């Protein structure tokens, strides 16, 4: 049975578009006050107003999570604003797929910086506050949900560095789950297949279509529903991993 999230604070990275944006909207609809974190502040402000117009509460924080200081500041601003943090959703990510020699070193390194380092920086900064929140939460549990990918389960030609980052996200999530589960922090990973978001550029779709053909892609809201399912379960229920593929994706 799902629970409401009133009196909880959820921080969502990558909230300016795609899965992050859809997740922020969905968690706000469940009653959470949502902190929106991304680099594109104009988009965050538009989303903040959208959530408020729907009767929710949101707070925008501009941050480049590849900078450890900015990631830490995003958490500090959340605590200064609301005094606690109950849910962290790491949805920020980039995908510069294609033949390795067709991608610049900067493009490949960007995936490591955003998908792995950025996730590490904000999770590390959030953990002390998540631990503290357990003690005062009526639900007696807090959540970290990391958005990985089916590319974090299966390696594919033309996806090497993205594979490496998403395998890393999936592995880190499980290791953190084991480390913090006795402190009532539920670590979960969601691994989507093809989702129709800005994450996919022309080269990325070319690689995907060559592998699987044209399929009806998932919507960002489909993944947001998976996240909501995870975090609204009662304390006794920990959903460790969810894989979500389009029906037509082999």
């Amino acid at each position: 049975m799902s629970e409401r999230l009133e009196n909880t604070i959820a921080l969502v990275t990558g909230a300016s578009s795609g899965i992050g944006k859809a997740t922020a909207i969905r968690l706000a609809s469940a009653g959470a006050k949502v902190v929106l974190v991304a680099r594109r502040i104009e988009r965050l402000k538009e989303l903040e107003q959208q959530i408020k117009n729907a009767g929710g509460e949101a707070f925008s924080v501009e941050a480049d999570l590849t900078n450890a200081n900015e990631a830490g500041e995003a958490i500090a601003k959340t605590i200064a604003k609301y005094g606690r943090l109950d849910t962290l959703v790491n949805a920020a990510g980039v995908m510069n797929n294609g033949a390795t020699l067709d991608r610049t070193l900067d493009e490949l390194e960007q995936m490591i910086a955003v998908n792995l380092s950025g996730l590490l920086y904000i999770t590390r900064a959030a953990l002390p506050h998540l631990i503290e929140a357990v003690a005062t939460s009526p639900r007696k549990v807090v959540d970290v949900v990391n958005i990985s990918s089916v590319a974090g389960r299966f390696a594919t030609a033309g996806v090497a560095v993205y594979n490496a980052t998403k395998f890393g996200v999936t592995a880190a999530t499980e290791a953190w789950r084991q480390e913090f589960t006795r402190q009532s922090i539920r670590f979960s990973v969601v691994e989507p297949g093809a989702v129709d978001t800005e994450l996919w550029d022309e080269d990325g779709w070319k690689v995907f279509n060559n592998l699987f053909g044209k399929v009806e892609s998932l919507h960002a809201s489909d993944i947001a529903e998976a996240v909501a399912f995870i975090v609204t379960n009662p304390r006794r229920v920990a959903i460790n991993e969810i894989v979500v593929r389009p029906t037509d994706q082999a």
Side-chain angles (χ1 to χ4, degrees):
M1 181 178 179
S2 64
E3 299 180 345
R4 295 284 297 170
L5 299 177
E6 276 85 7
N7 302 314
T8 70
I9 310 303
L11 186 153
V12 182
T13 73
S16 59
S17 65
I19 292 170
K21 178 179 179 179
T23 298
I25 293 169
R26 181 64 182 86
L27 296 186
S29 76
K33 297 178 176 67
V34 184
V35 180
L36 314 170
V37 178
R39 290 176 297 177
R40 295 177 289 188
I41 190 63
E42 299 83 4
R43 289 197 179 191
L44 293 183
K45 288 294 185 181
E46 291 174 2
L47 176 58
E48 178 181 331
Q49 192 59 52
Q50 180 182 343
I51 290 172
K52 290 178 177 177
N53 290 345
E57 183 171 342
F59 173 56
S60 298
V61 176
E62 180 182 7
D64 178 356
L65 299 182
T66 66
N67 181 304
N69 290 331
E70 291 193 32
E73 277 296 307
I75 297 297
K77 289 176 181 178
T78 299
I79 301 304
K81 174 74 172 177
Y82 292 116
R84 63 184 298 113
L85 178 62
D86 301 270
T87 304
L88 171 63
V89 180
N90 285 309
V94 294
M95 181 172 59
N96 301 323
N97 287 339
T100 301
L101 295 180
D102 291 340
R103 288 294 190 176
T104 67
L105 190 58
D106 285 344
E107 288 174 321
L108 299 176
E109 289 179 334
Q110 183 191 29
M111 287 191 281
I112 297 170
V114 175
N115 299 354
L116 273 182
S117 296
L119 182 145
L120 165 64
Y121 295 154
I122 198 157
T123 301
R124 177 63 181 80
L127 275 166
H129 303 288
L130 291 165
I131 292 169
E132 184 177 338
V134 172
T136 58
S137 169
R139 303 181 69 228
K140 300 302 181 186
V141 71
V142 297
D143 288 280
V144 179
V145 182
N146 294 327
I147 306 301
S148 182
S149 168
V150 293
R153 296 170 64 86
F154 304 103
T156 306
V159 190
V161 178
Y162 187 71
N163 278 144
T165 63
K166 291 304 186 178
F167 267 76
V169 169
T170 298
T173 304
E174 171 58 16
W176 280 326
R177 184 195 68 78
Q178 295 177 31
E179 183 176 356
F180 292 102
T181 190
R182 293 297 180 90
Q183 293 170 270
S184 298
I185 302 178
R186 298 186 297 201
F187 270 86
S188 308
V189 64
V190 179
E191 298 160 318
V195 183
D196 191 5
T197 71
E198 294 177 20
L199 195 64
W200 293 83
D201 62 8
E202 184 177 350
D203 288 332
W205 278 117
K206 187 181 298 182
V207 171
F208 180 83
N209 289 333
N210 285 341
L211 289 169
F212 302 109
K214 294 187 180 298
V215 303
E216 181 183 1
S217 299
L218 298 167
H219 297 174
S221 59
D222 299 326
I223 308 308
E225 285 297 329
V227 175
F229 172 66
I230 289 169
V231 304
T232 59
N233 265 292
R235 184 194 178 280
R236 67 182 181 275
V237 181
I239 307 299
N240 305 145
E241 181 178 19
I242 295 180
V243 180
V244 187
R245 289 185 179 90
T247 297
D248 300 325
Q249 182 178 340

